[in-house]
Amino acid sequence: MLRIRNIESGYGSIKVLRKVSLHVSPGEIVAIIGANGAGKTTLLRSISGLLKPWSGQIWFRGQDITRTPAERIVKLGCVLVPEGRQVFSTMTVRENLLLGATVRLKRGDHGEIERDMNWIYSLFPQLADRQNQIAGTLSGGEQQMLAIGRALMARPELLLLDEPSMGLAPNIVREIFNYIVRLRKELGLTVLLVEQNARSALRISDRAYVLETGRIILEGPSEDLLQDREVQRAYLGRDLDRELE
Amino acid sequence: MKGERIKIGLLCLLLVLIDLITTSVARTYYLTQLTMSLYYTLVVLGLVLLMGYAGQISLGHAGFFAIGGYTTAVLSTYNLLKYKDSAVVKVSSELGLLTLRENLYGEQILSFHPWIGVLLSLVIAATVAYLIGIPVLKLKGHYLAMATLGFGIIVYRIVLGTPIFGEADGVSDVPPFVILPGLSISGQMDERRANYYIASLLVVVVVYLMTNLINSRVGRALRAIHGAEDAAESAGVDTAEYKLKVFVMSAVIAALAGAFLTHFNGGIGPSEASVMKSVRYVAIVAAGGMASIWGGLTMAMLLNFLSLRGYFGQYDDAVFGAVLILIMLFAPEGLLRVNPAGLLKNIFKRS
């Protein structure tokens, strides 16, 4: 589905990503965990075309998208749910969802778009009750649902999720993560998930990569990483060595 | 949408009422300044679309206004008689693009028909906006403001320093723009009311098109760009394309206003291209509440009319600068959305 080889990227003269390579197979949920400033967001921005990589290559469904503009990548079926949700706060819930369908509206399948919107309302009943509410007045969890719903309106095959747990209460985080699992089950959606909340991310994902200062330092099935001593110490807040003493 | 239609209906009614009242009390001369205000209002409306909705500032819109005005002014006054044997002039003449007239001093003048001048002014403004828009709209915030300011200054210095544009004198003796036989844009006294209605019609049409645009897919995309450009892009909005389109659109509206007002006034001078004019447009958009067609319209009519009637005297430019500062400090939502109690509290807190 997605293959990245030796990507290097950054801002101005500051290099953030150093030869990052990874792949995501169809139907997988893959997590990228890492601390603040490790380059997780930069990686997703590079994939989705918001940031032009300095070098390396990115393929999506066999097509080279390294230099493809962001809106074309959306059209191809790779859609980002940005960090901090970034809903269009002065617009209504409905308008936000319609914006997600921008790449489809041009082709004019309006009936289908209405149907998708109703499907999203049935998936997130909280949004259905607030169709005409201004998005900026939603709660954090509702905004995250809206951001995901907006991305789904483009009918993606690969969903890029940037820190969906950010700033949310633990029970809401659980709810959002349940939705991600459900989306894969019901839509066969492939998900690349970037998270600081390593434990939750490892629990719902099939495989994971550990990103540290712009490099992938570890890769493997999520179950194994959950048991990995180094990962436990650095990202799960559990020091086995000390516990065994 | 229905609410907007009613508002547009009320606007038409109000414009007719203003005419009827000023005419019945024998103050038709007010219509001259009202007509001019209506043209400046067009510029402000284009800028509301660009700044208020798409969130892209332009401190160079007087430049586009001037491009419109000067293009038609030069084309409709430049005497081609001395070149009448050249191929270009002959072909233009064959095609009926030229008119022969006598100027104030009884001199024969062969020049382009104002229709050509006005149409070309729109084409040139669109082309210039497109060409500078591509690099400039990649900038954001202060940098975009500086770049558009630079553009405005360049246009100003060019018209001020080029003989064909009349240097500091500008271009005068611009003939009426005969749209149809019997209907022309000119400052003639007996055509005052007709001209007031032409300008009113233009404003109403632009308001109508804008309200439609804002509630469409394009309008949503523009507001999305304003809110969060990255998010808009990741939602599949081609932000560069939309920004460029709206920039060109607002430049063309400004040029249209410039071209029509130049024929109405019978001339144009470099002050129309000055940076203070651009600041004035921005100040009016801010006073109207940025993303508000009706606020912008109201403020543009009110402030321009007062300015043109000379109420601000020698402090004309200072007033608009002060308006900008005061709005930013105390009423960033625009004058029409001020809550007096909150404002007092705000001032009190500051002091």
Side-chain angles (χ1 to χ4, degrees):
Chain A
M1 178 73 61
L2 181 76
R3 180 171 293 277
I4 297 175
R5 199 173 67 197
N6 290 336
I7 273 292
E8 296 209 298
S9 189
Y11 305 92
S13 60
I14 301 158
K15 190 187 275 188
V16 179
L17 298 178
R18 297 157 199 276
K19 299 218 179 280
V20 171
S21 300
L22 59 84
H23 73 274
V24 181
S25 306
E28 264 190 320
I29 296 181
V30 174
I32 297 173
I33 59 174
N36 244 332
K40 305 189 298 295
T41 296
T42 308
L43 180 60
L44 286 198
R45 284 173 60 88
S46 304
I47 298 172
S48 54
L50 294 175
L51 198 64
K52 296 280 163 272
W54 297 359
S55 63
Q57 270 176 305
I58 305 172
W59 292 273
F60 176 64
R61 292 163 65 200
Q63 192 172 340
D64 187 338
I65 57 162
T66 319
R67 311 248 167 258
T68 308
E71 76 280 352
R72 297 268 324 149
I73 294 176
V74 174
K75 213 178 230 172
L76 290 171
C78 171
V79 182
L80 170 73
V81 179
E83 187 180 25
R85 305 178 270 282
Q86 297 201 30
V87 295
F88 304 116
S89 55
T90 58
M91 292 190 223
T92 63
V93 167
R94 190 187 146 77
E95 285 180 310
N96 266 274
L97 290 178
L98 278 173
L99 267 160
T102 300
V103 292
R104 295 167 57 200
L105 274 168
K106 279 186 190 164
R107 281 176 256 142
D109 39 6
H110 292 270
E112 220 172 290
I113 285 166
E114 281 303 319
R115 269 200 299 283
D116 282 9
M117 193 138 51
N118 287 330
W119 177 79
I120 283 165
Y121 287 144
S122 66
L123 182 69
F124 303 113
Q126 282 120 303
L127 295 184
D129 299 338
R130 302 175 189 279
Q131 291 181 35
N132 295 312
Q133 191 172 324
I134 300 294
T137 63
L138 297 177
S139 74
E142 286 161 354
Q143 288 191 4
Q144 187 62 57
M145 290 173 203
L146 179 57
I148 293 175
R150 181 179 67 192
L152 292 176
M153 286 299 289
R155 289 219 175 162
E157 295 192 25
L158 172 63
L159 199 61
L160 308 172
L161 284 164
D162 195 349
E163 297 261 6
S165 75
M166 192 196 244
L168 300 182
N171 57 328
I172 307 288
V173 172
R174 208 170 308 129
E175 197 182 337
I176 295 287
F177 276 53
N178 282 337
Y179 274 122
I180 297 170
V181 176
R182 231 181 109 186
L183 285 174
R184 171 185 35 194
K185 205 185 277 169
E186 290 179 16
L187 293 180
L189 205 61
T190 310
V191 178
L192 179 60
L193 168 71
V194 149
E195 258 303 337
Q196 242 185 97
N197 189 336
R199 195 184 302 273
S200 307
L202 289 176
R203 281 207 180 120
I204 64 159
S205 56
D206 307 311
R207 280 190 310 118
Y209 294 87
V210 180
L211 195 63
E212 207 171 277
T213 55
R215 284 194 184 82
I216 301 261
I217 55 158
L218 210 59
E219 187 233 324
S222 300
E223 289 161 31
D224 297 358
L225 290 186
L226 267 172
Q227 303 307 321
D228 186 279
R229 276 194 181 193
E230 197 50 35
V231 172
Q232 288 197 339
R233 192 190 52 75
Y235 300 103
L236 302 177
R238 184 170 176 209
D239 198 336
L240 267 183
D241 294 335
R242 196 171 291 166
E243 280 173 28
L244 293 175
E245 263 172 21
Chain B
M1 211 42 234
K2 206 178 156 206
E4 298 290 330
R5 293 248 165 83
I6 294 171
K7 278 190 198 163
I8 291 173
L10 286 176
L11 172 66
C12 295
L13 207 64
L14 184 68
L15 288 166
V16 173
L17 265 180
I18 289 174
D19 165 53
L20 292 181
I21 292 169
T22 48
T23 311
S24 67
V25 298
R27 294 279 191 280
T28 37
Y29 51 83
Y30 278 169
L31 289 182
T32 301
Q33 286 90 32
L34 283 166
T35 305
M36 293 166 78
S37 302
L38 283 164
Y39 286 124
Y40 288 127
T41 300
L42 279 181
V43 186
V44 169
L45 287 173
L47 210 51
V48 164
L49 195 61
L50 180 68
M51 283 178 58
Y53 288 94
Q56 309 299 311
I57 194 173
S58 168
L59 277 169
H61 255 51
F64 292 116
F65 181 95
I67 286 176
Y70 271 100
T71 304
T72 193
V74 169
L75 284 174
S76 58
T77 57
Y78 195 77
N79 200 345
L80 298 167
L81 264 186
K82 52 188 161 180
Y83 306 112
K84 68 173 183 289
D85 296 324
S86 82
V88 178
V89 173
K90 270 187 180 154
V91 171
S92 305
S93 181
E94 292 284 311
L95 290 172
L97 305 180
L98 305 181
T99 58
L100 190 66
R101 67 192 165 91
E102 224 170 56
N103 75 358
L104 285 173
Y105 315 103
E107 207 181 331
Q108 291 282 308
I109 295 195
L110 180 71
S111 62
F112 279 99
H113 192 280
W115 260 113
I116 306 299
V118 170
L119 289 178
L120 256 182
S121 71
L122 302 186
V123 171
I124 293 176
T127 312
V128 171
Y130 185 82
L131 291 179
I132 70 158
I134 291 173
V136 158
L137 290 170
K138 290 196 175 119
L139 305 171
K140 292 188 174 77
H142 305 314
Y143 301 99
L144 179 62
M146 293 303 287
T148 51
L149 179 69
F151 164 73
I153 292 172
I154 290 170
V155 173
Y156 178 58
R157 299 312 301 194
I158 288 177
V159 297
L160 197 59
T162 314
I164 196 171
F165 297 127
E167 295 173 331
D169 296 331
V171 183
S172 54
D173 196 21
V174 176
F177 170 22
V178 183
I179 303 175
L180 298 164
L183 184 69
S184 60
I185 309 286
S186 80
Q188 297 285 332
M189 291 244 264
D190 51 346
E191 293 181 67
R192 202 138 54 184
R193 290 181 72 187
N195 267 279
Y196 169 76
Y197 279 109
I198 294 170
S200 299
L201 183 70
L202 276 177
V203 166
V204 169
V205 166
V206 168
V207 166
Y208 175 75
L209 293 177
M210 272 174 73
T211 50
N212 275 341
L213 185 77
I214 284 156
N215 291 303
S216 72
R217 174 175 61 83
V218 178
R220 267 200 307 275
L222 291 180
R223 284 178 290 154
I225 292 172
H226 192 178
E229 202 168 323
D230 268 3
E233 251 182 73
S234 44
V237 176
D238 188 340
T239 54
E241 188 193 314
Y242 278 110
K243 285 198 287 186
L244 189 60
K245 276 187 183 160
V246 71
F247 187 66
V248 170
M249 208 184 298
S250 72
V252 168
I253 294 174
L256 179 78
F260 273 54
L261 187 55
T262 298
H263 284 291
F264 180 73
N265 285 341
I268 184 170
S271 71
E272 288 296 351
S274 76
V275 168
M276 269 320 293
K277 274 280 155 109
S278 293
V279 171
R280 173 178 298 208
Y281 297 134
V282 170
I284 294 173
V285 172
M290 295 302 244
S292 166
I293 296 175
W294 298 102
L297 178 81
T298 312
M299 285 301 141
M301 285 304 293
L302 186 71
L303 293 175
N304 275 310
F305 183 72
L306 292 177
S307 161
L308 289 164
R309 290 294 306 167
Y311 282 103
F312 305 144
Q314 57 184 316
Y315 303 112
D316 208 35
D317 280 341
V319 165
F320 283 94
V323 163
L324 191 53
I325 294 172
L326 292 174
I327 293 287
M328 289 304 154
L329 279 178
F330 300 115
E333 300 276 286
L335 278 183
L336 299 180
R337 281 179 222 162
V338 164
N339 149 19
L343 181 64
L344 280 179
K345 216 166 101 188
N346 198 358
I347 295 173
F348 196 66
K349 204 171 64 197
R350 271 162 208 274
S351 58

